[in-house]
Amino acid sequence: MHIPELANDVAEVLIGEEQIRQKVIELGARLSADYLGRELTLVSVLKGSLPFMADLMRAISIPVTIDLMEVSSYGGTATETSGLVRILKDLSASIEGRDVLVVEDIIDTGLTLNYLVRYLKGKNPRSLRICTLLDKPARRLVEIPIDYRGFEIPDQFVVGYGLDYGERYRNLPYIGVLKPEVYGGT
Ligand code: PRP
């Protein structure tokens, strides 16, 4: 797949399509084993985790149900979260007594998930774990217990495979580092 206009803004491919595919298969296998005999509820946080969720659910062999939430941080900038989280779309079904796995594309400061985990725990799930494709620990402000982690990445601004800058680049099939001049960095 080749998207020349978007790809021109990418300085470097950090994680390629095949690497993502392999990791998703590995995570799916681990989840299928860990939750064997149970039914898992995947809760994805839109919009960034959409491609990861779609691929991960197909790599899981046990029964799953899915639900989607959308949250937005406000008071931040295009590249920074603020810690103030607003729920734009809530769960559509109860998670009480269910084994819940939150599926995220990236954990950066951890502020979004910190809020979300407290919110979801208040709904009394049987268990609550976190799965993230990308972990950027250098920027963490609050500790988040990550149960399933795809890749640890350096403190670079990444786009693609769901991740955006100004709502663009989500459709790149790989994780790339955006050229600093694109977002006004150095
Ligand atoms: C991204 C990502 C996480 C959050 C992580 O979402 O999907 O939800 O930022 O950042 P944090 O750890 O610093 O809180 P974003 O707000 O960019 O929305 P999007 O998924 O719609 O792009």
Side-chain angles (χ1 to χ4, degrees):
M1 192 172 172
H2 187 55
I3 311 167
E5 302 84 357
L6 289 180
N8 282 344
D9 293 343
V10 172
E12 174 203 349
V13 174
L14 196 63
I15 307 166
E17 281 185 81
E18 185 53 29
Q19 240 184 310
I20 296 173
R21 207 180 66 82
Q22 288 300 331
K23 186 62 75 177
V24 168
I25 288 169
E26 184 191 312
L27 287 170
R30 268 182 64 198
L31 288 164
S32 305
D34 289 359
Y35 289 90
L36 193 64
R38 285 144 79 179
E39 187 174 295
L40 187 56
T41 298
L42 303 174
V43 174
S44 163
V45 189
L46 294 170
K47 307 172 200 146
S49 54
L50 196 59
F52 180 43
M53 174 72 149
D55 287 344
L56 185 66
M57 62 189 274
R58 286 176 290 177
I60 296 174
S61 54
I62 59 161
V64 299
T65 61
I66 63 166
D67 209 335
L68 305 168
M69 285 187 75
E70 185 169 7
V71 299
S72 86
S73 55
Y74 52 98
T77 65
T79 54
E80 307 266 331
T81 35
S82 64
L84 299 168
V85 176
R86 188 162 44 124
I87 293 178
L88 300 179
K89 191 218 165 290
D90 206 341
L91 295 169
S92 40
S94 168
I95 55 166
E96 190 169 349
R98 311 227 16 131
D99 290 306
V100 174
L101 183 74
V102 179
V103 177
E104 261 288 22
D105 51 341
I106 186 166
I107 302 178
D108 195 345
T109 63
L111 293 172
T112 306
L113 260 190
N114 188 48
Y115 172 86
L116 213 58
V117 162
R118 275 184 290 134
Y119 178 78
L120 293 173
K121 276 189 176 158
K123 306 260 176 206
N124 299 318
R126 178 180 181 218
S127 67
L128 183 69
R129 286 184 182 166
I130 295 167
C131 176
T132 186
L133 180 67
L134 305 177
D135 176 19
K136 200 192 265 187
R139 286 175 38 90
R140 196 66 35 82
L141 293 177
V142 282
E143 199 189 323
I144 299 285
I146 302 174
D147 303 284
Y148 302 90
R149 174 192 289 106
F151 302 94
E152 188 174 307
I153 61 165
D155 189 10
Q156 288 175 304
F157 195 77
V158 289
V159 293
Y161 198 68
L163 291 139
D164 76 307
Y165 172 65
E167 294 299 324
R168 294 185 72 202
Y169 307 99
R170 294 193 198 273
N171 55 322
L172 285 173
Y174 51 80
I175 308 280
V177 178
L178 202 58
K179 287 179 181 168
E181 59 263 35
V182 176
Y183 59 90
T186 48

